[in-house]
């Protein structure tokens, strides 16, 4: 870049009011898939470590990683119970969005991650809670999928609705994962 | 995880995260610095190449002071002084 261009850019940046920097990260965790919930937890945990506020709103399939690991069957009727068998909860049962191969894919990915000492989603959930990431379950999804508060892990905030999720996203970096 | 040392007047605590990958160096550093008093120094040992940019970024955004950043035999060493406040 020429000196003229550099000087011009500097002059422009001086006259452009800098947008206010968001100091908060809000993630809408919509997918319960392993390769989505994993980066969601890495980013939100790191945001807290870096002093940012962080909140994750778990909705639709994204709610299932919050199911207690020992809960294999959830649901309030035959449909939601059947759903819980097809779509088991807890991150250690989560499927990959591609190359799942009936569970072989997640097994291999976790094995590789273990070699590189990347923490698994279950450990990241604990870490995120320790660092103060606010975990917000979606009340409507809980009703829809037949998930009670007892089906979900401890340390979550009270279940909320869409308006609260929108409020969390205000003045915040927000991602839909 | 943390080994206290009494080599200087202010406390220096070592955090050994060698072998661990992103985001653990930053996450463990954030956890470790909570236990330090203002003025104390956190020494971080890491083998994660990403930490070369991540630790200075973390120190900068949390308002802690990066005193040193060095690489020796594939080990990255950082000295971060806790400046007070919330610390993270």
């Amino acid at each position: 870049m020429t000196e003229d261009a550099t000087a011009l850019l500097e002059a422009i940046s001086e006259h452009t009011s800098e947008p206010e920097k968001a100091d908060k990260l809000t993630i809408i965790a919509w997918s319960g898939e392993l390769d989505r919930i994993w980066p969601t937890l890495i980013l939100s945990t790191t945001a807290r470590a870096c002093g940012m506020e962080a909140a994750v709103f778990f909705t639709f399939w994204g709610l299932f990683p919050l199911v207690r690991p020992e809960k294999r069957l959830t649901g309030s009727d035959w449909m939601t119970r059947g759903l819980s068998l097809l779509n088991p909860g807890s991150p250690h049962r989560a499927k990959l969005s591609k190359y799942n191969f009936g569970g072989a894919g997640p097994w291999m990915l976790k094995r590789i991650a273990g070699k590189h000492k990347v923490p698994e989603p279950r450990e990241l959930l604990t870490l995120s809670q320790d660092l103060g990431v606010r975990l917000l379950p979606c009340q409507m999804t809980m009703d829809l999928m037949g998930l009670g508060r007892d089906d979900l892990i401890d340390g979550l905030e009270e279940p909320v609705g869409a308006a609260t999720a929108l409020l969390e996203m205000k003045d915040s970096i927000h991602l839909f994962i | 995880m943390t080994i206290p040392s009494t080599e200087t007047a202010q406390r220096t605590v070592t955090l050994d995260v060698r072998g661990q990958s992103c985001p653990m160096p930053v996450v463990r550093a954030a956890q470790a610095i909570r236990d330090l008093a203002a003025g104390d120094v956190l020494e971080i040992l890491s083998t994660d190449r990403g930490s070369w940019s991540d630790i200075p970024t973390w120190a900068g955004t949390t308002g802690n002071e990066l005193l040193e950043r060095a690489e020796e035999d594939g080990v990255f060493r950082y000295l971060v002084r806790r400046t007070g406040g919330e610390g993270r």
Side-chain angles (χ1 to χ4, degrees):
Chain A
M1 199 183 289
T2 64
E3 274 182 33
D4 279 358
T6 311
L8 182 66
L9 280 176
E10 274 171 7
I12 291 169
S13 68
E14 267 176 35
H15 286 88
T16 314
S17 62
E18 215 173 285
E20 222 170 273
K21 283 181 189 160
D23 213 21
K24 180 179 173 185
L25 172 71
T26 305
I27 298 179
I28 309 300
W30 165 82
S31 161
E33 285 160 333
L34 181 64
D35 42 353
R36 292 205 165 88
I37 194 68
W38 210 330
T40 294
L41 292 170
I42 290 175
L43 280 173
S44 54
T45 303
T46 308
R48 276 302 295 153
C50 287
M52 295 170 71
E53 273 188 72
V56 185
F57 178 67
F58 295 86
T59 188
F60 279 80
W61 308 118
L63 195 62
F64 282 83
L66 295 183
V67 170
R68 288 179 181 277
E70 69 273 16
K71 286 262 178 186
R72 185 59 194 88
L73 184 74
T74 58
S76 48
D77 55 25
W78 68 271
M79 282 188 289
T80 49
R81 276 197 286 273
L83 177 69
S84 77
L85 292 175
L86 294 169
N87 189 65
S90 183
H92 75 288
R93 296 196 191 94
K95 295 166 184 169
L96 279 173
S97 67
K98 60 197 284 190
Y99 311 130
N100 191 59
F101 299 133
W107 180 82
M108 275 187 261
L109 185 62
K110 283 180 203 163
R111 211 183 130 107
I112 296 164
K115 275 188 185 165
H116 290 271
K117 295 207 176 159
V118 176
E120 281 195 30
R122 270 175 78 180
E123 191 190 340
L124 280 166
L125 256 181
T126 311
L127 276 171
S128 72
Q129 290 180 320
D130 179 61
L131 287 171
V133 177
R134 296 170 47 234
L135 307 174
L136 308 157
C138 167
Q139 180 67 64
M140 182 275 275
T141 308
M142 289 173 67
D143 299 341
L144 203 71
M145 310 281 193
L147 293 167
R149 189 62 193 81
D150 295 345
D151 294 324
L152 306 181
I153 58 168
D154 294 328
L156 307 176
E157 302 228 333
E158 283 305 302
V160 296
T164 310
L166 284 168
L167 187 68
E168 294 287 343
M169 285 190 268
K170 220 177 168 193
D171 304 323
S172 162
I173 299 165
H174 43 270
L175 305 170
F176 187 94
I177 301 179
Chain B
M1 187 171 62
T2 52
I3 306 143
S5 119
T6 51
E7 60 192 33
T8 48
Q10 92 258 98
R11 206 156 63 109
T12 298
V13 172
T14 299
L15 173 72
D16 188 350
V17 284
R18 284 176 292 182
Q20 298 193 37
S21 294
C22 174
M24 295 319 287
V26 162
V27 169
R28 292 296 184 209
Q31 286 179 319
I33 212 156
R34 290 192 294 203
D35 302 330
L36 300 190
D40 286 351
V41 174
L42 182 67
E43 179 191 43
I44 304 159
L45 302 175
S46 170
T47 47
D48 170 33
R49 186 154 284 281
S51 72
W52 190 250
S53 64
D54 268 16
I55 293 291
T57 303
W58 163 75
T61 53
T62 51
N64 293 298
E65 189 186 354
L66 181 72
L67 304 173
E68 199 181 305
R69 178 176 74 160
E71 181 187 359
E72 201 179 327
D73 300 327
V75 176
F76 306 100
R77 180 173 174 268
Y78 310 89
L79 292 177
V80 180
R81 177 184 283 137
R82 175 154 187 182
T83 46
E86 201 198 346
R88 66 176 174 93

